[in-house]
């Protein structure tokens, strides 16, 4: 990302292969100054976590590694460890030769560098390294050459050693060589504040605190647990309309009351309904609902008519339960549905003000946290931004390029990196984030293609840490939490889309799950360094072929359709959107109805439930056998194209046949197609719950979109088929999820 506006953009390849911009030198120096006392240990040992300590029992010094908890009496040597004290090989040097324990802006020195330049100088001479610390890009300058070493001449000649082979993932889920065909009007750099690890850590703490407040309010006011992942969906739903400055915390929304949060909490009142599998469970749930409804109407300020209706229906239900012991599961479920229809409106009426209070309180806290965070962030900047007059919009057409920031990045603190088997671990002040080695290599490539203000990778690790932390704090830290927010299409489908329909751009993605290097995503302030073109609802292409797989939120999907219609209306250039949405028909979603009635709809096909698969949203950290899962609902694929787009990328029978074939699950993955979350529901179990809530009771995560800012994920209030609980109200109110 650049500190100044992007100039003439002739094509993305020119920008990628020849990045411009001055290299900032904020990395901490490797060697001490001539006036400071040399450390007791060499720099490379200190950076690898070693420290010299004193043993009072033995009355002599020893050496301790804070990363590996290893202790030695002798001075440690990098890459040489006692197999007895290190039986598992945890401290062994990386096989690829990467300096896995070095921090952001640091690299390991060879023995020739450790020789002093003169008898009175402690400054070490520089020897150009033969390998970078990244295991994936041999022969390239390291991310971290120290600023003070830049002009130092080599003291002694060295024999360059051959660079090790680059790290190559066993399976690659992306193709970053595909160039874009998306054309946009040139725009000004964005005014977002540049990311900083200190701020990201504070934001994570505030988001965690806000989650706790939400949990406490639901317990205190309604006596329920908050609907599963409803807070995550609230964050996404709010950001669709938020005009505030913070990239994650909502602070300027109208209306204040979130329809998504209000709907999900109301669905769980008076109790959360669960998917029923056995008759005994249905009987128990019916009794609990009747008892909870009666108790709630007695304890709230309800009208006499509401009290009369609810109490009569609850007592009638309990009387029926006492006298009829031979009812089937279907009888209990029918009775429960009748009770919900009779009591539900009255219970909702008395709970309305309380639930609105929960939504309002959470929003006000979020706005307050956002203001405090922005003040702290501004204090870290060297040159705080000033309100500038808006320059006129440029009219030149260019190929789309990543988001650029107008505010220069401040000096970034060091982030430490080490590898544990096939996982890259990045640590900042005790906070560790992880990503598998393959996706770490992918992030490095995206950064090399897209970032133009850091050609020497001095800020790479800090920005990767911020990226991973941002998505982690948005999804939550629970088991399998948030994985449904970033589901992606299979690789074979992307290949067919590119080959047959010229698709080179994803409307809803992230640097972690994108297939192309051109995509829109939630957080332009950090994702832009890795190729993001910004939020899709703010992205206005003139021509190109696009894939859209949004998170399954009705508010977001409806806004997305409006944006599609405007873009297709305004452009006479070839423009095509291939949209993947859940095929919900009971009742049908407004977005699906609008697209089916659109004058730009050229073709529509349906992919049957349980007969197609999606990639996991946690693909950057999950196991390989958990990468794919089957969808528990049908998927509608709609082709929205203007006349020029239809002429260029028409959905012909031959093209559609290849796309449909690409959607079929690979036989080699048949055993690993279940959800990486809880066990998925078998087709035979889909009629176990009230019909009105069939759509929400799915327990496999939706193949929801990948984006977060303009995306609101699949609304899962459901649970596993055997034991987990889920909300059961209007099908429009809940969606398949983990």
């Amino acid at each position: 990302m650049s500190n100044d506006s992007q100039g003439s953009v002739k094509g993305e390849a020119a920008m990628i292969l020849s990045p411009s911009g001055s290299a900032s030198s904020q990395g901490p120096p490797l060697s001490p100054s001539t006036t400071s006392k040399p450390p007791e240990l060499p720099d490379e040992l200190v950076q690898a976590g070693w420290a010299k300590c004193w043993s009072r029992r033995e009355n002599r010094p020893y050496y301790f590694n804070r990363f590996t908890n290893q202790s030695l009496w002798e001075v440690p040597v990098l890459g040489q460890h006692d197999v007895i004290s290190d039986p598992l090989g945890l401290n062994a040097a990386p096989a690829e030769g990467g300096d896995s324990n070095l921090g952001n802006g640091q690299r390991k020195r060879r023995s020739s560098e450790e020789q002093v330049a003169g008898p009175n100088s402690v400054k070490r001479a520089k020897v150009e390294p033969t390998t970078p610390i990244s295991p994936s890009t041999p022969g390239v300058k390291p991310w971290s050459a120290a600023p003070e070493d830049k002009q130092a001449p080599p003291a002694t000649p060295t024999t360059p050693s051959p660079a090790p082979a680059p790290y190559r993932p066993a399976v690659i889920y992306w193709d970053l060589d595909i160039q874009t065909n998306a054309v946009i009007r040139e725009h000004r750099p964005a005014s977002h504040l540049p990311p900083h690890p200190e701020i990201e850590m504070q934001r994570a703490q505030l988001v965690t605190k806000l989650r706790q407040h939400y949990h406490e309010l639901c317990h205190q006011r309604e006596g329920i647990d908050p609907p599963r992942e409803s807070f995550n969906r609230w964050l996404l739903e709010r950001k669709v309309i938020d005009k505030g400055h913070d990239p994650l915390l909502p602070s300027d929304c109208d209306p204040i009351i979130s329809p998504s949060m209000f709907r999900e909490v109301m669905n769980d009142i008076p109790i959360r309904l669960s998917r029923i599998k056995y008759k005994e469970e249905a009987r128990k749930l019916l009794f609990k609902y009747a008892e909870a409804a009666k108790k709630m109407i007695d304890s709230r300020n309800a009208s006499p008519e509401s009290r009369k209706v609810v109490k009569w229906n609850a007592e009638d239900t309990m009387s029926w339960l006492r006298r009829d012991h031979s009812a089937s599961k279907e009888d209990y479920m029918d009775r429960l549905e009748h009770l919900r229809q009779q009591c539900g409106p009255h219970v909702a009426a008395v709970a309305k003000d309380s639930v609105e209070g929960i939504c309002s309180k959470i929003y006000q806290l979020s706005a307050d946290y956002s203001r405090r965070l922005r003040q702290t962030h501004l204090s870290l900047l060297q040159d705080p931004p000033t309100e500038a007059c808006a320059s006129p919009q440029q009219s030149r057409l260019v190929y789309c390029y990543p988001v650029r920031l107008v505010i220069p990045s401040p000096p970034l603190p060091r982030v430490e990196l080490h590898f544990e088997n096939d996982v890259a671990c990045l640590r900042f002040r005790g906070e560790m984030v992880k990503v598998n080695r393959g996706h770490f290599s992918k992030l490095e490539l995206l950064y090399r293609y897209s970032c133009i203000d850091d050609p020497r990778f001095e800020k790479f690790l800090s920005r990767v840490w911020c990226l991973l932390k941002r998505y982690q704090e948005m999804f939550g830290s629970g088991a399998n939490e948030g994985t449904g927010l970033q589901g992606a299409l299979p690789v074979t489908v992307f290949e067919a889309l590119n080959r047959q329909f010229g698709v080179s751009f994803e409307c809803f993605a992230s640097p972690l799950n994108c297939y192309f290097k051109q995509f829109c995503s939630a957080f332009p302030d950090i994702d832009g360094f890795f190729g993001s073109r910004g939020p899709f609802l703010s992205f206005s292409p003139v021509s190109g072929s696009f894939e859209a797989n949004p998170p399954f939120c009705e508010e977001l999907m409806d806004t997305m359709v409006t944006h599609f219609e405007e873009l297709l209306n305004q452009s006479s250039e070839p423009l095509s959107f291939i949209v993947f949405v859940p095929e919900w028909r009971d009742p049908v979603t407004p977005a699906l109805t609008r697209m089916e009635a659109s004058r730009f709809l050229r073709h529509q096909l349906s992919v049957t439930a349980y007969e197609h698969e999606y990639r996991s949203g946690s693909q950057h950290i999950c196991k390989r056998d958990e990468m794919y899962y089957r969808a528990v609902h049908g998927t509608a694929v709609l082709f929205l194209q203007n006349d020029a787009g239809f002429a260029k990328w028409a959905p012909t029978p031959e093209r559609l046949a290849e796309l449909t074939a690409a959607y079929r699950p690979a036989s080699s993955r048949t055993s690993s197609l279940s959800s990486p979350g809880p066990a998925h529901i078998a087709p035979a179990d889909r009629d176990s719950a009230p019909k009105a809530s069939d759509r929400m009771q799915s327990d496999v995560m939706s193949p929801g979109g990948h984006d977060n800012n303009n995306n609101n994920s699949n609304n899962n209030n459901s649970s596993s088929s055997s034991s987990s609980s889920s909300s059961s109200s209007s099908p429009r109110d809940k969606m398949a999820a983990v």
Side-chain angles (χ1 to χ4, degrees):
M1 297 173 71
S2 172
N3 298 338
D4 49 4
S5 60
Q6 177 70 19
S8 173
V9 182
K10 300 296 183 183
E12 186 174 6
M15 295 190 302
I16 291 174
L17 298 177
S18 302
S20 60
S22 60
S24 57
S25 304
Q26 280 100 13
L30 283 177
S31 59
S33 63
T34 56
T35 60
S36 62
K37 182 180 179 180
E40 296 185 355
L41 286 175
D43 286 345
E44 58 269 24
L45 292 180
V46 175
Q47 294 157 11
W50 289 99
K52 187 175 181 180
C53 307
W54 185 261
S55 172
R56 288 187 292 181
R57 186 187 66 181
E58 298 290 336
N59 197 28
R60 60 170 173 158
Y62 68 96
Y63 302 91
F64 177 76
N65 192 310
R66 68 180 186 276
F67 294 155
T68 63
N69 292 329
Q70 185 184 12
S71 58
L72 298 173
W73 290 116
E74 300 80 13
V75 178
V77 178
L78 285 179
Q80 298 180 12
H81 302 281
D82 184 2
V83 295
I84 297 178
S85 61
D86 187 24
L88 298 180
L90 298 179
N91 303 305
E96 283 74 16
D99 297 349
S100 59
N101 287 321
L102 301 191
N104 189 40
Q106 305 296 322
R107 64 178 175 83
K108 192 161 48 176
R109 299 171 183 270
R110 296 200 301 270
S111 58
S112 59
E113 279 188 277
E114 297 175 359
Q115 300 179 11
V116 295
N120 299 322
S121 172
V122 297
K123 186 172 182 179
R124 302 186 180 104
K126 177 196 175 189
V127 176
E128 193 65 36
T130 59
T131 60
I133 67 172
S134 166
S136 59
T137 54
V140 186
K141 285 188 175 183
W143 304 334
S144 61
E148 66 174 358
D149 287 345
K150 290 180 181 177
Q151 304 300 328
T156 58
T158 60
T159 302
S161 58
Y167 175 80
R168 300 186 184 279
V171 181
I172 297 179
Y173 301 96
W174 53 84
D175 187 348
L176 305 184
D177 294 329
I178 297 175
Q179 300 300 321
T180 184
N181 58 20
V183 177
I184 61 173
R185 295 193 179 276
E186 191 174 11
H187 53 74
R188 299 180 298 274
S191 59
H192 306 290
L193 300 183
H196 195 284
E198 291 277 2
I199 299 301
E200 210 57 53
M201 180 178 291
Q202 293 184 35
R203 181 178 288 113
Q205 294 170 353
L206 292 175
V207 171
T208 301
K209 188 176 180 180
L210 196 61
R211 289 178 186 273
Q212 293 172 350
H213 279 300
Y214 179 49
H215 190 276
E216 292 168 0
L217 287 173
C218 288
H219 267 283
Q220 293 171 1
R221 298 194 180 188
E222 303 301 332
I224 62 171
D225 290 329
R228 184 175 180 179
E229 293 207 47
S230 60
F231 185 87
N232 299 340
R233 288 187 292 274
W234 172 78
L235 285 175
L236 301 179
E237 183 266 340
R238 292 281 85 187
K239 295 308 293 183
V240 175
I241 60 174
D242 183 39
K243 299 178 182 178
H245 296 290
D246 194 85
L248 183 59
L249 290 168
S251 59
D252 187 6
C253 299
D254 186 23
I256 292 177
I257 307 299
S258 164
S260 173
M261 179 177 285
F262 178 83
R263 182 173 63 233
E264 293 192 43
V265 175
M266 290 294 290
N267 287 340
D268 284 0
I269 294 175
I271 64 170
R272 176 176 300 178
L273 300 183
S274 61
R275 175 172 290 276
I276 302 302
K277 199 169 185 179
Y278 304 106
K279 182 179 73 172
E280 293 76 10
E281 294 175 347
R283 178 184 176 89
K284 184 183 297 185
L285 187 65
L286 177 59
F287 178 80
K288 289 176 63 177
Y289 188 95
E291 186 179 45
K294 182 180 178 182
K295 181 179 179 180
M296 184 173 182
I297 209 71
D298 286 337
S299 61
R300 304 290 180 95
N301 187 20
S303 65
E305 180 65 22
S306 295
R307 292 180 185 274
K308 179 181 178 181
V309 171
V310 173
K311 292 179 72 173
W312 186 89
N313 280 278
E315 291 173 356
D316 180 65
T317 298
M318 292 180 182
S319 175
W320 179 79
L321 286 171
R322 284 191 293 267
R323 69 172 180 266
D324 194 340
H325 299 282
S326 60
S328 64
K329 185 186 76 171
E330 288 71 22
D331 294 334
Y332 289 126
M333 300 310 298
D334 291 342
R335 190 83 184 193
L336 175 61
E337 184 64 21
H338 173 76
L339 185 62
R340 292 177 62 240
Q341 291 176 357
Q342 295 297 318
C343 300
H346 301 282
V347 171
V350 297
K352 180 176 180 293
D353 292 340
S354 175
V355 176
E356 288 182 345
I358 294 175
C359 300
S360 177
K361 180 66 174 178
I362 294 300
Y363 172 77
Q364 297 297 342
L365 287 172
S366 174
D368 180 57
Y369 292 165
S370 174
R371 287 189 292 268
R372 289 161 48 185
L373 202 60
R374 183 171 177 82
Q375 292 174 359
T376 306
H377 202 163
L378 290 173
S379 66
L380 291 177
L381 300 179
Q382 295 174 327
D383 300 315
T386 56
E387 294 294 334
C389 298
S391 58
Q393 183 72 24
Q394 301 292 330
S395 60
R396 180 168 47 181
L397 295 179
V398 297
Y399 285 108
C400 70
Y401 52 89
V403 173
R404 312 297 185 196
L405 297 187
V406 68
I407 303 174
S409 176
L412 299 181
R414 189 181 72 172
V415 169
E416 298 163 346
L417 167 70
H418 70 278
F419 291 96
E420 296 178 358
N421 298 326
D422 202 37
V423 177
C425 304
L426 294 90
R427 185 195 305 268
F428 175 71
R429 295 197 175 179
E431 295 282 342
M432 181 185 291
V433 293
K434 298 182 179 182
V435 60
N436 66 49
R437 209 160 184 176
H439 281 75
F440 183 76
S441 173
K442 175 191 179 183
L443 291 177
E444 183 186 1
L445 289 175
L446 288 172
Y447 192 81
R448 190 177 305 281
Y449 291 154
S450 306
C451 179
I452 66 174
D453 77 331
D454 185 27
R456 299 182 69 249
F457 277 61
E458 293 173 336
K459 302 176 182 177
F460 174 72
L461 293 182
S462 291
R463 287 169 173 171
V464 170
W465 189 92
C466 290
L467 172 76
L468 297 173
K469 193 68 176 177
R470 177 77 58 82
Y471 282 94
Q472 182 187 82
E473 66 199 45
M474 180 181 152
F475 296 151
S477 57
N480 299 311
E481 186 175 359
T483 53
L485 306 181
Q486 284 203 112
L489 298 176
V491 171
T492 53
V493 175
F494 274 118
E495 292 173 344
L497 289 173
N498 174 253
R499 185 166 51 250
Q500 297 298 328
F501 300 98
V503 173
S504 65
F505 194 105
E506 296 166 77
C507 297
F508 300 92
S510 76
L512 298 172
N513 71 353
C514 63
Y515 177 81
F516 306 108
K517 63 186 174 190
Q518 300 88 215
F519 58 91
C520 283
S521 69
F523 307 118
D525 63 318
I526 181 62
D527 293 348
F529 295 108
F530 301 90
S532 172
R533 272 61 171 165
F536 174 70
L537 297 182
S538 303
F539 182 73
S540 300
V542 176
S543 70
S545 184
F546 301 83
E547 173 268 350
N549 178 28
F552 299 159
C553 159
E554 293 193 24
E555 291 86 355
L556 170 66
M557 291 193 293
D558 200 44
T559 307
M560 174 195 70
V561 174
T562 301
H563 194 50
F564 284 157
E565 296 276 351
E566 293 174 353
L567 295 175
L568 292 168
N569 261 319
Q570 295 169 359
S571 178
S572 58
E573 299 296 322
L575 191 58
S576 170
F577 296 98
I578 304 178
V579 190
F580 298 78
V581 293
E583 193 167 21
W584 289 328
R585 300 289 181 181
D586 187 20
V588 67
T589 56
L592 184 57
T593 302
R594 290 181 58 192
M595 286 190 287
E596 289 178 337
S598 173
R599 68 185 183 91
F600 297 107
L601 179 67
R602 305 298 179 172
H603 188 78
Q604 177 179 353
L605 61 88
S606 177
V607 188
T608 309
Y610 294 95
E611 295 183 6
H612 60 293
E613 61 185 7
Y614 288 88
R615 271 186 295 145
S616 169
S618 60
Q619 59 180 276
H620 63 283
I621 199 63
C622 73
K623 298 177 181 178
R624 184 176 173 183
D625 58 357
E626 297 175 346
M627 182 63 69
Y628 286 90
Y629 62 91
R630 292 236 178 134
V632 296
H633 53 72
T635 297
V637 185
L638 302 100
F639 294 77
L640 302 179
Q641 301 168 329
N642 60 10
D643 293 337
F646 178 67
K648 188 171 184 178
W649 299 298
T652 61
E654 295 78 12
R655 290 173 171 174
L656 293 174
E658 180 170 343
L659 178 61
T660 303
Y663 235 139
R664 296 192 185 102
S667 58
S668 61
R669 292 195 295 261
T670 303
S671 61
S672 63
L673 292 179
S674 59
S675 167
H680 71 278
I681 314 272
D685 296 336
R686 279 180 282 178
D687 296 329
S688 302
K691 182 178 179 182
S693 56
D694 277 349
R695 188 162 83 195
M696 309 78 69
Q697 302 288 349
S698 309
D699 195 41
V700 179
M701 64 181 168
S702 302
H706 331 22
D707 192 357
N708 314 317
N709 188 9
N710 19 352
N711 311 358
N712 195 359
S713 157
N714 28 342
N715 294 341
N716 87 312
N717 296 332
S718 54
S719 63
S720 68
S721 58
S722 58
S723 60
S724 299
S725 60
S726 71
S727 307
S728 66
S729 180
S730 167
R732 185 171 299 168
D733 299 341
K734 298 173 217 164
M735 307 163 193
V738 178

